[in-house]
Amino acid sequence: MNTSTLLAAEGEGWAQQGLLAAQRSIEANERRFSRFLPESELSRLNQSAGQWVTVSAEMLDLLQQSVDFYRETEGIFDPSILPDLKRVGYDRTMDEVRADDLSTPASIRTERPRFDQMELDLARGRVRLPRGLEVDLGGIAKGWIVEQAASLLDAYAGAHAVNAGGDMIFTGLPEGEDNWTVYLEDPRHPSEMLAELNVKAGAVATSSVLKRAWTQAGQARHHLIDPRTGEPAQTDWLSVTVTAPRLTVAEVYAKVLLICGESALEKAAALHPEMRYLAVEASGNLVGTAAHRPNLVQWLQ
Amino acid sequence: MKAFKSVLRVWLAATSAVIFLATWVILGHSPNPIDSRSHTSVASLPTIAPFQPLSDEDARPFGWQLFSQNNRQQQQPRARFVTGGS
């Protein structure tokens, strides 16, 4: 997941065992879904485009969910934008990209298969990627992995939390607490907090256009690609935080709302009525679902 | 011979006592499944493992923070949940 992870659980010895089991689960699934590890299951799948490949039940489940989200968001959530990301300069680690003077402009976008042209054989546990399709499960894999870890912890503790780089799930409430407090980073100044959000059980995820940003031939770039153009998305907001019962939903819709802005709200609310959002405008103002307002403590600017 | 038997008896008795006490201590401290009816009232979540902050999201190993509630360590810092995007 290329990020830091925090696990918390109520209880003592037994809860500690649960935390270690959850940690092992996260590490195993990260090795499975990473595109940075050449021996990962995902890397082997990408290297076998054009052929049927037998995959694990975990991989099959996540690919199936990814196709479902691709279709319901009409391709705005697209795990196959990796060639575009590389084309606009993000072809190495972020430290290397930022350190380099990327003076060469982006190359011309080439045609590639659509993500939903991938074939899934659920009965036989096989997948075939069309030639030219490269999958990067990135954010949705992080959400899925955290969901699995939280499910594991259910057997060990009544109240627990799993946070992977700002994507998190809360289950139950610690004894004596009325809510979990989540601090919203100011996207303009990541070391500063913009607000506190009090949440009960559920998932929280945030997408930002300023977290991974660089310049290419004098042009400002970021890692959130709009699949309709193949270019970094032109967004009304700097970041979007979504709360939902499922973390994969929160993760996918934080991206979709950031890319599409208000135009995506109506459909998103119809598909996921329990979902709520908070967006940060360029001025630092917060906008979002009215239902969040009583749970929000905005910090003084 | 008598002296040897006496020493052997004493040694066997002492060994049995040590084994009994060790078993009692191990069983007495083995973890039990959490009982939802008897949660201890605890306000703080102590740090168990050190946190390694990451500046490069791609290249560094993971940092881990594991917190479990423990009423003997009330003064430990609480888990802090920050969201800001990846």
Side-chain angles (χ1 to χ4, degrees):
Chain A
M1 292 185 290
N2 310 309
T3 190
S4 58
T5 304
L6 182 154
L7 305 172
E10 185 177 58
E12 295 186 23
W14 189 246
Q16 180 66 16
Q17 287 190 25
L19 294 176
L20 294 173
Q23 181 178 3
R24 281 194 295 272
S25 160
I26 291 172
E27 287 173 336
N29 280 320
E30 203 285 331
R31 286 193 294 274
R32 185 189 309 281
F33 295 122
S34 173
R35 75 174 169 92
F36 296 107
L37 300 174
E39 291 306 309
S40 74
E41 189 176 354
L42 181 66
S43 296
R44 284 189 282 112
L45 181 64
N46 277 329
Q47 289 153 14
S48 309
Q51 302 163 34
W52 281 104
V53 178
T54 301
V55 295
S56 63
E58 291 86 350
M59 178 65 78
L60 204 59
D61 180 46
L62 185 51
L63 289 173
Q64 178 67 68
Q65 286 196 39
S66 299
V67 172
D68 292 344
F69 281 124
Y70 176 87
R71 289 181 176 141
E72 81 171 42
T73 62
E74 296 170 6
I76 298 298
F77 166 75
D78 185 353
S80 65
I81 47 88
L82 192 55
D84 288 323
L85 206 51
K86 290 176 177 173
R87 202 173 51 79
V88 298
Y90 190 7
D91 53 0
R92 286 148 289 161
T93 68
M94 188 43 58
D95 275 353
E96 288 170 336
V97 170
R98 284 176 182 143
D100 257 20
D101 175 25
L102 299 177
S103 51
T104 314
S107 54
I108 303 294
R109 193 183 193 199
T110 53
E111 279 295 310
R112 56 178 169 78
R114 291 194 325 271
F115 180 63
D116 63 351
Q117 288 178 289
M118 173 180 65
E119 296 170 88
L120 297 177
D121 180 350
L122 299 179
R124 298 170 71 177
R126 300 185 311 165
V127 179
R128 182 161 67 180
L129 302 185
R131 287 187 196 282
L133 188 80
E134 204 176 345
V135 175
D136 175 14
L137 295 168
I140 191 170
K142 183 161 66 170
W144 188 93
I145 290 170
V146 170
E147 281 180 355
Q148 302 303 308
S151 296
L152 248 175
L153 275 170
D154 284 345
Y156 295 88
H160 55 82
V162 183
N163 174 11
D167 288 3
M168 52 194 89
I169 296 182
F170 300 105
T171 303
L173 284 170
E175 185 83 10
E177 300 285 341
D178 297 326
N179 50 257
W180 300 86
T181 301
V182 178
Y183 298 89
L184 262 63
E185 243 176 40
D186 186 337
R188 302 161 304 169
H189 312 287
S191 59
E192 295 174 18
M193 299 301 131
L194 199 58
E196 295 173 19
L197 183 64
N198 294 322
V199 297
K200 309 287 182 190
V204 181
T206 299
S207 266
S208 165
V209 293
L210 299 183
K211 201 78 174 184
R212 298 190 198 195
W214 65 98
T215 56
Q216 181 190 40
Q219 219 177 344
R221 299 296 204 180
H222 59 78
H223 78 298
L224 205 72
I225 298 292
D226 185 337
R228 296 168 295 191
T229 62
E231 295 289 316
Q234 302 288 318
T235 66
D236 297 334
W237 299 320
L238 298 181
S239 72
V240 172
T241 299
V242 168
T243 61
R246 284 174 52 209
L247 185 53
T248 45
V249 170
E251 167 67 39
V252 165
Y253 278 90
K255 278 191 180 64
V256 168
L257 295 186
L258 189 50
I259 291 171
C260 298
E262 290 182 350
S263 65
L265 286 174
E266 195 177 337
K267 188 180 171 194
L271 287 167
H272 301 283
E274 290 178 304
M275 198 180 84
R276 308 281 181 263
Y277 83 101
L278 281 170
V280 180
E281 295 178 324
S283 63
N285 282 341
L286 279 169
V287 295
T289 318
H292 261 331
R293 200 174 299 279
N295 305 318
L296 191 68
V297 179
Q298 191 155 5
W299 289 24
L300 293 174
Q301 297 294 298
Chain B
M1 193 60 186
K2 213 171 197 176
F4 174 73
K5 281 184 177 174
S6 297
V7 169
L8 189 61
R9 273 197 207 101
V10 168
W11 184 81
L12 284 172
T15 307
S16 302
V18 167
I19 290 170
F20 171 78
L21 284 171
T23 309
W24 182 69
V25 167
I26 289 167
L27 290 179
H29 288 79
S30 63
N32 297 312
I34 190 162
D35 181 351
S36 60
R37 293 165 302 180
S38 61
H39 284 177
T40 49
S41 177
V42 178
S44 66
L45 297 168
T47 301
I48 288 172
F51 175 51
Q52 302 293 325
L54 304 179
S55 61
D56 178 1
E57 301 88 338
D58 293 333
R60 309 281 169 78
F62 303 144
W64 284 95
Q65 279 183 299
L66 302 186
F67 291 83
S68 70
Q69 204 165 275
N70 185 331
N71 59 2
R72 289 187 295 274
Q73 298 178 40
Q74 292 276 358
Q75 301 309 311
Q76 293 292 326
R78 288 173 61 92
R80 183 176 161 89
F81 301 98
V82 178
T83 188
S86 51

